[in-house]
Amino acid sequence: MSLGRYALNRLAFGVVQVVAVATVVFLLVQALPGDAAVALAGDDPNPERIEQIRTSMGLDRPPLERFGAWLWGLAHLDFGTSIVSGRPVSAFLADGLAPTAVLAVLTLVLLVPLSVMVGVLAALREGSRLDRALTSISVGLHSIPEFALAVVLIALFGVQLAWLPPTAVGVGGDLLGHPEVLVLPLVVLLARPICSISRLVRAGMIEALSSDYVRHARRLGLSVGRVRFAHALPNALAPAVQQVARTTDWLLGGVIVVEAVFVIPGLGTTLVDAVASRDLPVVQGLAVVFAVTTVAVNLIADLVAFRLSPRAVGVR
Amino acid sequence: MTHFPELSRRGFLAITAGLSAATLVGCSTPAATPTAPKAGGRLRAAFAGGGAKEVLDPHLANLFVEAARSKAMFDKLADLGADVSAQPRLAERWEPNADLTRWRITLRPAVFHDGKPVRAQDVLASYARILDPKRAFRAKSSLSLIDLPNSKAIDDRTVEFALKRTFIEFPNALAAFGTYIVPEGTEDFTKPVGSGAFSFVSFEPGKSLVLKKNPNYWEGAPHLDELHFVIANEESARTNALLGGQVEYAHDLTPTTARAHGASDRMVIVRSPNSAVQAFAMKLDRAPFDNRDLREAMFLLADRPQLVESTLAGSGQIGNDLFGKGSQYYAGDIPQRTRDLDKAKHLIRKAGAEGMTIKLDTSTAAAGMVEAATIFADQVKGSGLTIEVVTGNKDTYWADTLKNGSMSSYRSGAMPIETHIAQRLLSTSGTNVTKWTRPEFDALYQKAVSTVDDKARGEVYAEMQRSLHAEGGYLMWGFADWIVGTARNVNGVATAPANTLDWARFDKVWLG
């Protein structure tokens, strides 16, 4: 199969996925108990006031009508308007995007070289004390959920030793202006994926290094370095690239946790707030953005993996 | 979402601020000595927020953070003092006519942040906005007794309000939650202009609000140069931010945090007693609690110290089935109820209720309610009754329990005792959870709010409280402290009950 045909197939499938997710999200959001009117009315609500708010928000319209209007808007890239604040949903996305993008991009930028380095190091010294140490640490770190790791890091480095700020409170969206607040969140976001990806790189590398073509290349007189990094590594990376894509999916969830724990006003925090106040258009808009991101990242990863090693992917 | 059903606050008294500062220093920082207030500096205060639904319109304020921001930027005519009684604020004084239906309010000389004076027309326009029948502002019900078409501005600094009925407690309405005075004609609050101690600099909903000192504040300029409200929704994040030196004030901490960090050298715990009443509400209009003996049995089964110790982690006081401990007109002379299992058993037998199972509705709508219900169910064991705890939907809890069931968990923030009675204990009350409807009680209320003499009025309130204590449906077992944490260099944070003027008030705070 050619790369172009493969890309087209995957793209068509991606569109179907996004539409399916949009439908499911709408249904799930409808099933949330309570609505924005109740959330806005506060404690001790007066039923008349709730009804008044509900009508003004258009919550009394039938769900099918609202779904139709929403899908129609999406097709025109119009995400609708927040029923709670009256601002366009796209403004929420724009506000929350920068901090989340900073976190996600920095995580990915650091993740790839770090995990390749760790994986290759362990593979080249297979069975050594270093390899065993890296394995133990990886398995250990990988089994700690990110919120638990975050709480421990905050307690230790943020509060007890006071080396780093424990939260991003007061920094607002300007994370790059205060790089110190990024350290702990990035450590939390990186900890698990580094472990899993470096394990994959290590396994792939060990397998590649013991393969016939590597031995053949060495017999042809190519240097050790060239064989390892120009021939063995690309093949070892193909499964790792797809794992990086899966990590990106995971990252979207991880970012929500990390943003909540470290008080970073990104898309995750926006989503949590929107769910709490039953701001359905915002919840739906964010879910669609997350779905599109996931589908797009996986698409790109599949294409990269296909390019790196057509044999491994193309047969699917 | 956490907020009190009825926020309000209190008139400033110089003596209270002094007392509060002394109490603060006395209870938690024995090493520090009270110093003279120092001007300057920036205070960052962390509150839970509401994301996009946060607004700066003080009439729409609903969350704690919105109430605290409104208070910093705006004024009301009156506010609630430490004893939850109305104290004059923008109103310099108020004088009713003989039959208490017309009230003349004299405004103190005050200016808005744009330099324009606060006039009688601004007061009338603000109240007209709140009372607009097409809108749903929270303060509407508090002001509904004002006959607005017949109220008028006498001159720029004098307003005369006509009331729909005789009402001596009108100042309570002027102090009610959300009754802020805004410049006439204001509808856009993106850059709010008020008369408060701090003026607007910048706002990002769900993130932060930056304010600066108003040097022309009528009560004297605040000590702080800048005040930043920052949002941290999780209590642990507020605590961490305070411990990590990222904020100087963390609002609404849990008793557990207070216990863990009470002795820490990095934060000072400030407790405001009598802030939120904790109760079980029994409905009098239906079985089984239409039986007075059974209600009394419930009163006698509650082990109040244990409830306070376990559900409030000790951060509270026991209650005596009466609202407003520490408030003006609170009947503190009624003997405190204690647990009496034998007498309760006797009463249960007398009521023919042995072996009965009673459902107790509760939910996570307020912190600690489910825990308290479970502990109470335990305390009732062995009395011949069984309490079955039913946890309902927290989003619709208050509306559900107003209509359904026979017994439910209940909590309420501080408000004047008169307001509590008017909203919850009259046959016409909108939120009468206990269904306490007695013509003679309604008549006593009418008598109280028509009695000009303070002492005589106090006696009527005392009589009403005696009948509530003996026969009412509220088992008010405790009062939770309101807990905030501050950095050690923060001074002047008052210990006033939440909802009163000095709660979350920053113009009297200084950094030492």
Side-chain angles (χ1 to χ4, degrees):
Chain A
M1 204 188 322
S2 76
L3 183 63
R5 175 114 186 265
Y6 178 70
L8 221 62
N9 271 343
R10 292 284 290 105
L11 191 64
F13 184 56
V15 171
V16 174
Q17 280 176 317
V18 170
V19 173
V21 168
T23 311
V24 171
V25 163
F26 184 84
L27 293 176
L28 283 179
V29 161
Q30 295 306 313
L32 279 175
D35 65 22
V38 175
L40 264 189
D43 281 351
D44 201 3
N46 170 347
E48 275 168 37
R49 183 157 176 243
I50 293 180
E51 221 31 67
Q52 214 168 355
I53 299 174
R54 199 167 272 158
T55 312
S56 72
M57 287 176 159
L59 288 174
D60 50 350
R61 286 159 59 205
L64 204 63
E65 188 186 323
R66 279 182 282 145
F67 182 57
W70 179 61
L71 268 193
W72 183 244
L74 272 189
H76 298 78
L77 288 181
D78 172 8
F79 286 93
T81 311
S82 153
I83 47 175
V84 168
S85 69
R87 289 170 73 214
V89 173
S90 50
F92 284 83
L93 301 179
D95 275 2
L97 189 62
T100 303
V102 165
L103 276 179
V105 169
L106 281 180
T107 305
L108 287 175
V109 163
L110 293 170
L111 173 63
V112 174
L114 282 177
S115 40
V116 168
M117 215 169 69
V118 173
V120 169
L121 207 62
L124 295 181
R125 304 258 185 99
E126 190 194 347
S128 70
R129 218 178 268 180
L130 178 74
D131 182 28
R132 286 203 303 269
L134 287 174
T135 304
S136 316
I137 295 171
S138 298
V139 173
L141 261 188
H142 195 256
S143 49
I144 303 177
E146 54 268 27
F147 70 88
L149 182 62
V151 168
V152 171
L153 290 180
I154 289 175
L156 186 60
F157 296 106
V159 174
Q160 203 53 44
L161 299 171
W163 290 351
L164 290 162
T167 69
V169 166
V171 169
D174 182 22
L175 296 178
L176 290 176
H178 302 82
E180 67 279 4
V181 305
L182 282 168
V183 178
L184 293 180
L186 283 177
V187 170
V188 172
L189 283 174
L190 282 167
R192 295 181 80 185
I194 282 193
C195 299
S196 58
I197 294 172
S198 64
R199 302 309 296 160
L200 279 175
V201 172
R202 176 185 175 275
M205 197 69 184
I206 289 172
E207 197 193 325
L209 287 176
S210 61
S211 65
D212 291 342
Y213 74 90
V214 165
R215 274 198 295 273
H216 185 64
R218 281 290 291 142
R219 274 199 295 273
L220 289 174
L222 273 66
S223 73
V224 178
R226 177 124 190 236
V227 169
R228 279 176 182 173
F229 296 107
H231 295 279
L233 189 58
N235 272 302
L237 282 187
V241 168
Q242 279 169 320
Q243 181 63 28
V244 170
R246 277 191 283 278
T247 302
T248 314
D249 306 350
W250 170 86
L251 205 56
L252 289 170
V255 159
I256 294 177
V257 174
V258 164
E259 285 181 3
V261 176
F262 290 99
V263 200
I264 295 169
L267 292 179
T269 308
T270 311
L271 180 63
V272 172
D273 285 344
V275 171
S277 56
R278 303 289 185 270
D279 197 347
L280 310 189
V282 178
V283 176
Q284 291 166 191
L286 281 165
V288 168
V289 167
F290 285 162
V292 169
T293 315
T294 307
V295 168
V297 167
N298 277 283
L299 176 65
I300 294 167
D302 283 354
L303 296 181
V304 171
F306 187 88
R307 187 79 190 76
L308 279 175
S309 174
R311 270 181 310 130
V313 189
V315 289
R316 284 206 303 196
Chain B
M1 229 180 359
T2 40
H3 36 252
F4 284 120
E6 203 65 25
L7 264 241
S8 356
R9 74 211 42 113
R10 91 93 108 30
F12 165 75
L13 297 166
I15 189 168
T16 328
L19 273 178
S20 315
T23 323
L24 164 64
V25 166
C27 67
S28 38
T29 53
T33 45
T35 49
K38 227 164 72 183
R42 171 189 68 168
L43 181 117
R44 293 164 298 180
F47 283 74
K53 72 171 176 285
E54 291 177 16
V55 289
L56 293 181
D57 182 341
H59 297 155
L60 283 174
N62 214 7
L63 307 168
F64 279 128
V65 66
E66 291 169 334
R69 287 165 172 170
S70 302
K71 174 186 299 192
M73 291 187 287
F74 297 90
D75 282 307
K76 297 189 287 194
L77 293 182
D79 219 326
L80 297 177
D83 66 349
V84 204
S85 67
Q87 309 290 333
R89 295 293 294 164
L90 271 183
E92 203 165 52
R93 60 179 186 277
W94 43 67
E95 295 136 307
N97 67 352
D99 71 353
L100 307 173
T101 55
R102 292 195 82 83
W103 287 70
R104 186 171 284 227
I105 314 281
T106 310
L107 302 179
R108 67 178 71 247
V111 289
F112 289 113
H113 300 147
D114 60 4
K116 293 189 181 131
V118 179
R119 302 160 309 141
Q121 288 84 346
D122 298 311
V123 172
L124 286 171
S126 300
Y127 281 19
R129 181 171 189 255
I130 293 167
L131 287 168
D132 185 342
K134 290 195 284 296
R135 304 172 79 159
F137 290 122
R138 189 160 157 172
K140 197 193 234 172
S141 59
S142 312
L143 297 182
S144 61
L145 84 164
I146 297 177
D147 175 8
L148 210 54
N150 289 315
S151 304
K152 57 178 188 271
I154 306 285
D155 59 42
D156 270 1
R157 282 185 45 210
T158 316
V159 195
E160 192 174 279
F161 284 112
L163 303 191
K164 293 173 183 164
R165 58 186 165 88
T166 299
F167 192 49
I168 186 66
E169 305 280 24
F170 183 52
N172 284 347
L174 307 179
F177 181 72
T179 55
Y180 288 96
I181 306 305
V182 302
E184 186 179 6
T186 311
E187 277 302 331
D188 178 9
F189 287 91
T190 48
K191 288 180 181 165
V193 170
S195 60
F198 293 91
S199 62
F200 177 82
V201 176
S202 67
F203 177 52
E204 287 182 272
K207 292 175 196 165
S208 69
L209 172 72
V210 179
L211 303 177
K212 66 173 193 289
K213 127 201 244 173
N214 170 11
N216 306 317
Y217 190 47
W218 57 267
E219 206 183 16
H223 305 304
L224 299 167
D225 288 337
E226 262 188 56
L227 174 60
H228 291 209
F229 286 91
V230 296
I231 299 300
N233 288 331
E234 301 299 321
E235 191 258 352
S236 58
R238 293 195 292 279
T239 307
N240 288 333
L242 180 60
L243 288 170
Q246 296 180 299
V247 297
E248 288 77 33
Y249 179 102
H251 181 251
D252 192 7
L253 304 184
T254 61
T256 324
T257 303
R259 210 169 247 188
H261 298 284
S264 154
D265 58 355
R266 290 204 216 166
M267 71 153 95
V268 176
I269 296 292
V270 183
R271 293 166 194 272
S272 299
N274 299 331
S275 286
V277 69
Q278 314 288 315
F280 300 113
M282 301 177 272
K283 287 188 170 44
L284 271 65
D285 66 341
R286 62 196 74 173
F289 293 116
D290 50 356
N291 184 312
R292 183 191 158 168
D293 291 327
L294 198 59
R295 294 200 297 276
E296 193 180 347
M298 301 307 271
F299 289 141
L300 295 172
L301 284 171
D303 181 344
R304 295 151 205 258
Q306 189 191 42
L307 280 163
V308 168
E309 185 50 38
S310 39
T311 64
L312 306 178
S315 289
Q317 300 80 39
I318 58 166
N320 193 26
D321 304 321
L322 290 172
F323 186 85
K325 196 173 190 173
S327 298
Q328 189 188 22
Y329 306 126
Y330 179 77
D333 55 344
I334 299 178
Q336 172 67 47
R337 274 208 178 96
T338 51
R339 180 172 158 95
D340 186 340
L341 183 61
D342 291 335
K343 193 167 171 204
K345 277 182 176 164
H346 167 76
L347 286 166
I348 291 166
R349 267 197 305 276
K350 193 174 151 203
E354 265 178 311
M356 184 186 277
T357 298
I358 298 168
K359 282 199 169 73
L360 169 51
D361 291 307
T362 189
S363 83
T364 52
M369 287 206 314
V370 176
E371 293 80 353
T374 313
I375 290 167
F376 182 63
D378 249 14
Q379 294 176 350
V380 168
K381 277 180 191 156
S383 69
L385 288 177
T386 307
I387 295 275
E388 185 193 332
V389 176
V390 183
T391 308
N393 177 356
K394 78 180 173 66
D395 292 311
T396 54
Y397 179 77
W398 302 111
D400 290 347
T401 53
L402 182 57
K403 292 195 296 274
N404 311 322
S406 57
M407 188 179 199
S408 56
S409 295
Y410 190 82
R411 53 120 29 238
S412 162
M415 62 179 77
I417 287 173
E418 178 276 317
T419 311
H420 164 70
I421 292 171
Q423 290 188 353
R424 299 163 181 165
L425 293 165
L426 301 182
S427 41
T428 51
S429 297
T431 51
N432 192 339
V433 181
T434 59
K435 310 297 175 196
W436 171 266
T437 50
R438 304 207 165 179
E440 69 277 13
F441 190 86
D442 291 1
L444 278 176
Y445 174 77
Q446 273 318 320
K447 184 176 166 194
V449 297
S450 323
T451 305
V452 178
D453 182 67
D454 215 43
K455 194 153 170 269
R457 188 159 75 249
E459 274 156 23
V460 182
Y461 284 133
E463 190 184 339
M464 295 166 84
Q465 290 177 73
R466 273 193 295 276
S467 78
L468 287 170
H469 184 262
E471 302 187 31
Y474 280 115
L475 194 179
M476 297 193 167
W477 55 264
F479 292 85
D481 292 345
W482 197 251
I483 304 169
V484 303
T486 72
R488 293 206 79 89
N489 64 339
V490 176
N491 298 283
V493 176
T495 55
N499 287 2
T500 61
L501 173 65
D502 282 348
W503 159 82
R505 181 179 181 187
F506 295 102
D507 56 317
K508 301 296 167 196
V509 170
W510 76 94
L511 303 174

